Amino acid sequence: MTIDPNNQTVLRIAMLRDHFIQHDRFTPLEELFSRLAEKRLADIQTGRVNEAHGLALSGPSGAGKSAAIAHLLKTERARLDDEGYGDATIISLRVPSPATLKFVGQTLLRALGYQISSERQAWYIWDLVRHHLRERRVMFVHLDEAQDLASRGTKHELNSVASMLKTLMTDDEWPVGIILSGTEELEDILNHDPQLARRMKTVHFESLSPAAHANDVLDLLESYCERAELIPAPQLLSLEHGERLIHAAANQFGLVIELILEAIEEAFLQKDTALSCKHFRRAYQLRTSCEDEFNPFIIPDFYRIDARQVFTRGGRRS
C-alpha cells in the first residue's frame, strides 16, 4: 500500500513533537518534583502518613509549561513502573469550566474512571474523590490551566477549592501531592491562600529575551534539524535569526518550538533537504495570515511588529 506523502509528513512531525529537548528552565522543575516524589515514595514504603506537598508552575501563555509538565509526568510514570510502583499513579486533567468545587470534583472522578450523577452534592462527590484516590493509590494529581480556579469561579468557590486541595494533601489516610500549572494568575491563587502556598514548591517560566537567549534558541533549532535530518541554511544560525525567531514567538519558549516545527513541516512538504528562511516565512504567514510587511522573517525592522496579533495587513494595523 502506498503511503500518502502528506500523511508521512504528519507522522514525522508527530514524532518530532514527542521528542522533548532538555532545556535550562526544565532542570529546577525536574529537581523539585523528583524530591517530592522520593519523599512520597519513602512514606509509602515505611507506612508513614505525612502530609504531602505540591508543585506550582506558572508562566505566560506559550511559555512551554504544558510540554514540560507532560514530559515530567511521563518520565515519572515510567520510573515508577520500572521500580515496581506501577500501581502508584499520577492523575492529570485540565481544570473544567465552570471551575466550581462540584464540577472540579466530578471531572477528577471521571479521570479516576468513575462516573457520577450531577445531582450529587459537592461534599459527597469529594468524599468519593478521596476514596478513589486512596483505592487507586494515587500519588499526585495535576491540574492544568489552574488559573481558571479563580477566573471562572466566585471567591467563595475559590476558597472552597483551595480548602479541598489542602484537605487532599493532609488526608490522614492517604495524602496526595498536588501539581498546579497555569498562567501568572495562578500566583494570585496561591497568594490568596497562604496555607496552600506554604505546601507548594514554585517554579516560574520567564519570557525569553532576544538579547539573552538567541544563542540558546539557535542550539534548539540545530537539535531539531538534526532530529529531522535537515541541513540548516547558514543564515538560520545567525544571531539575528535567533532574535527574529524569539520575537516572532512573542518571546515565549513553547511558541519558539511550535514555529520551528511548523517551518520543518514546510520543508518536508516541499521535499527540501535544507531548512531555510523561506520555510519560517511561510510558517509565520500561515499562522497569522499576515501580509509580507508584517512578517518578522521578511522585513529588516522586525521589532516593530506585534507578534501577538493575527490578520495584520496594511490599513488594519493596530
Side-chain angles (χ1 to χ4, degrees):
M1 184 177 72
T2 303
I3 299 176
D4 187 330
N6 287 341
N7 289 342
Q8 198 171 45
T9 295
V10 170
L11 291 174
R12 293 175 73 184
I13 291 296
M15 291 177 65
L16 285 174
R17 289 188 186 280
D18 285 342
H19 178 62
F20 183 83
I21 295 179
Q22 194 87 4
H23 49 89
D24 289 344
R25 61 175 54 197
F26 181 73
T27 302
L29 182 72
E30 184 179 42
E31 290 176 348
L32 287 175
F33 182 70
S34 178
R35 292 179 201 171
L36 291 176
E38 291 297 336
K39 179 181 180 297
R40 188 72 192 96
L41 278 176
D43 287 342
I44 293 171
Q45 290 167 348
T46 58
R48 294 177 299 190
V49 180
N50 292 317
E51 72 172 43
H53 286 76
L55 179 64
L57 172 63
S58 71
S61 178
K65 303 181 297 297
S66 295
I69 289 288
H71 180 72
L72 189 75
L73 300 186
K74 179 181 178 181
T75 303
E76 184 61 20
R77 287 186 181 112
R79 185 180 74 87
L80 289 171
D81 192 50
D82 289 343
E83 296 183 8
Y85 294 97
D87 59 341
T89 55
I90 301 171
I91 300 295
S92 179
L93 65 145
R94 180 170 181 163
V95 169
S97 174
T100 63
L101 180 65
K102 183 175 179 178
F103 202 15
V104 172
Q106 287 176 308
T107 306
L108 184 47
L109 275 179
R110 283 197 293 272
L112 288 162
Y114 187 92
Q115 299 291 332
I116 188 170
S117 168
S118 60
E119 297 174 1
R120 292 291 188 176
Q121 293 183 316
W123 65 265
Y124 181 85
I125 291 171
W126 280 94
D127 274 353
L128 274 179
V129 167
R130 293 166 66 187
H131 169 77
H132 285 283
L133 289 173
R134 181 171 62 251
E135 289 298 304
R136 288 275 304 274
R137 295 175 63 81
V138 173
M139 287 178 58
F140 292 97
V141 168
H142 166 231
L143 299 177
D144 194 21
E145 302 295 347
Q147 75 279 353
D148 286 347
L149 293 171
S151 63
R152 299 185 182 179
T154 65
K155 197 165 187 177
H156 172 72
E157 287 288 351
L158 172 58
N159 290 337
S160 299
V161 172
S163 176
M164 186 51 65
L165 294 179
K166 288 183 292 185
T167 299
L168 295 183
M169 288 193 280
T170 60
D171 188 280
D172 56 7
E173 292 186 60
W174 186 262
V176 176
I178 301 296
I179 305 168
L180 303 175
S181 56
T183 60
E184 280 129 330
E185 287 79 10
L186 171 58
E187 299 168 15
D188 297 331
I189 295 175
L190 297 182
N191 289 326
H192 171 76
D193 192 321
Q195 290 185 346
L196 178 61
R198 75 172 180 82
R199 292 180 169 89
M200 308 294 288
K201 305 296 184 185
T202 58
V203 177
H204 180 71
F205 278 4
E206 296 281 355
S207 297
L208 298 178
S209 160
H213 299 109
N215 279 321
D216 296 332
V217 163
L218 293 177
D219 289 342
L220 186 71
L221 174 58
E222 280 193 282
S223 295
Y224 274 110
C225 281
E226 182 178 358
R227 192 87 180 176
E229 299 180 341
L230 291 173
I231 301 168
Q235 64 266 37
L236 288 193
L237 302 182
S238 69
L239 201 60
E240 181 185 291
H241 182 76
E243 294 172 355
R244 285 179 183 271
L245 181 50
I246 290 174
H247 184 76
N251 298 75
Q252 300 310 320
F253 183 80
L255 295 182
V256 165
I257 292 177
E258 286 186 25
L259 275 170
I260 291 173
L261 292 177
E262 288 164 6
I264 289 173
E265 184 175 14
E266 284 301 308
F268 285 166
L269 290 172
Q270 295 174 31
K271 298 181 173 56
D272 291 332
T273 58
L275 187 67
S276 67
C277 287
K278 72 175 182 178
H279 302 122
F280 281 93
R281 292 167 184 164
R282 178 63 175 160
Y284 189 85
Q285 196 278 327
L286 289 174
R287 170 178 281 266
T288 66
S289 294
C290 70
E291 292 183 346
D292 285 356
E293 63 182 296
F294 298 102
N295 191 318
F297 295 107
I298 294 178
I299 66 170
D301 185 18
F302 60 90
Y303 278 114
R304 70 175 174 81
I305 294 172
D306 185 348
R308 296 167 297 181
Q309 295 189 354
V310 295
F311 299 111
T312 45
R313 56 186 182 270
R316 199 178 184 278
R317 184 180 174 185
S318 297

